[in-house]
């Protein structure tokens, strides 16, 4: 992962496609869901936690952080 790449967030999202992630927005709000589709400017999160019948579309430039579970206890 090249952290100096301007597409680092998009590439990270693509590499975790189909997995559950938590996204922290620049506003401080957090959204958790399964990565359904990644585009050049936005990502679609399906099965949003607490709103399982809804999907969310998040603009990549509004993302402050992405949290991915990589190990369990």
């Amino acid at each position: 992962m090249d952290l100096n790449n301007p597409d680092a967030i998009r590439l990270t999202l693509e590499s975790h496609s189909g997995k559950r992630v938590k996204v922290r927005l620049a506003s401080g709000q957090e959204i958790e869901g399964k990565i359904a589709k990644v585009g050049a400017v936005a990502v679609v999160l399906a099965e949003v936690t607490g709103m399982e019948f809804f999907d969310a579309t998040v603009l990549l430039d509004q993302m402050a952080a992405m949290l991915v579970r990589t190990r369990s206890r």
Side-chain angles (χ1 to χ4, degrees), residues 17-30:
S17 187
K19 295 183 181 175
R20 292 195 70 77
V21 298
K22 185 180 287 188
V23 172
R24 179 169 290 144
L25 303 179
S27 67
Q29 180 183 4
E30 291 184 346

Side-chain angles (χ1 to χ4, degrees), residues 5-67:
N5 186 336
D7 292 326
I9 296 231
R10 183 183 58 78
L11 295 171
T12 302
L13 286 164
E14 286 176 348
S15 71
H16 290 88
S17 187
K19 295 183 181 175
R20 292 195 70 77
V21 298
K22 185 180 287 188
V23 172
R24 179 169 290 144
L25 303 179
S27 67
Q29 180 183 4
E30 291 184 346
I31 302 173
E32 183 175 350
K34 186 184 295 185
I35 300 173
K37 188 185 286 189
V38 181
V41 296
V43 60
V44 175
L45 299 177
E47 302 171 23
V48 175
T49 300
M51 302 176 70
E52 282 74 13
F53 296 107
F54 293 86
D55 292 348
T57 302
V58 179
L59 294 172
L60 298 180
D61 66 356
Q62 295 298 308
M63 291 178 57
M66 180 183 82
L67 295 87

